[in-house]
Amino acid sequence: MSESGLLDVLRGDAVGGWLQLPGSATAEVIGSVGFDVVCVDTQHGLIGPDSLLPMLQALAATGTPSMVRVHWNAPSPITEALDRGAAGVIVPLVNSAQEAAAAASACRWPPHGTRSYGPTRHGFMTSAPGDPVCAVMVESVAAVEAVSDIVAVDGVDAVFVGPSDLALSMGRPTSAQDGDPDYDALLARVLEAGRAADMPVGIFCASAGHVQRFRELGFTYFFVRGDGALLAEMAAAELRASRPGGAEPLRRG
Ligand code: 3PY
Ligand code: MG
């Protein structure tokens, strides 16, 4: 899929998978489920640079488009993700138009940016030279204050809300994302700015219930819980169902 194809996916009520465990096998499993896109999380996931390449190769083999959440808004992690084959990046903690411009510039070759050209993956960069998707994370009160300027930055393609960091930045618990009216007022400002700029606006979802709630508010794409969280939940459910009388498992660790 071309990168502009990925942008269309993010506009269209997309549900994405999220990878936090290193390894191509889990990438292949999650990539095969039917998600519209899968993101490899190198910010809070346990995935280092050397694990990234086989995971992106595994996702490519499933045909599911890939994004990488980089660990920081800097040229080096953005270059690493794009040179290894991600169709787009999610850049955390973007709090101003200036920071958004830095993220966008790192995604684009001159004359549109400052990315260095280095076609290493065989056939990849030469056969698919489209612009990668640059999604910037709005996850602080400061970012919401600046959101109209952030979406106006040339080269920024999409906004992605980090719901927990946004709540913490308000001085509220992460449960504010469950329907705190002050929190929802901030989300409304992000959604309005995205609509005005004709830009996809997505959000991370801690549960399928959150996907439904945020869909009703107007978000256009969603990433669901990561592989580690899903694995733990399914394993606990299986164990519970296997105990006499369905007893609650004793958690270790
Ligand atoms: C947040 O909730 O802050 C996130 O970044 C989700 O991944
Ligand atoms: Mg965050």
Side-chain angles (χ1 to χ4, degrees), residues 43-44 69 92-93 137 139 162-166:
Q43 185 194 22
H44 292 304
R69 177 162 73 171
L93 296 166
M137 288 193 74
E139 50 182 348
S164 297
D165 277 325
L166 180 57

Side-chain angles (χ1 to χ4, degrees), residues 62-213:
T62 68
T64 303
S66 59
M67 297 184 81
V68 171
R69 177 162 73 171
V70 296
H71 65 82
W72 199 245
N73 181 9
S76 157
I78 292 174
T79 297
E80 259 168 29
L82 297 178
D83 282 5
R84 281 165 176 72
V89 287
I90 295 177
V91 182
L93 296 166
V94 172
N95 292 323
S96 65
Q98 201 180 13
E99 290 176 13
S105 175
C107 289
R108 317 279 174 228
W109 288 306
H112 305 293
T114 50
R115 182 180 170 195
S116 170
Y117 185 74
T120 306
R121 270 195 72 188
H122 178 72
F124 171 71
M125 290 173 73
T126 45
S127 65
D131 262 351
V133 168
C134 176
V136 295
M137 288 193 74
V138 167
E139 50 182 348
S140 70
V141 174
V144 175
E145 301 290 346
V147 70
S148 301
D149 295 335
I150 288 173
V151 298
V153 169
D154 208 23
V156 168
D157 298 310
V159 169
F160 186 58
V161 172
S164 297
D165 277 325
L166 180 57
L168 296 177
S169 145
M170 294 171 72
R172 306 275 166 96
T174 57
S175 59
Q177 64 192 284
D178 299 336
D180 178 321
D182 295 338
Y183 185 89
D184 282 5
L186 294 186
L187 295 185
R189 288 172 66 179
V190 178
L191 286 161
E192 181 46 42
R195 261 192 298 272
D198 191 25
M199 191 173 277
V201 182
I203 187 162
F204 185 84
C205 297
S207 69
H210 283 91
V211 177
Q212 309 298 359
R213 173 172 131 67

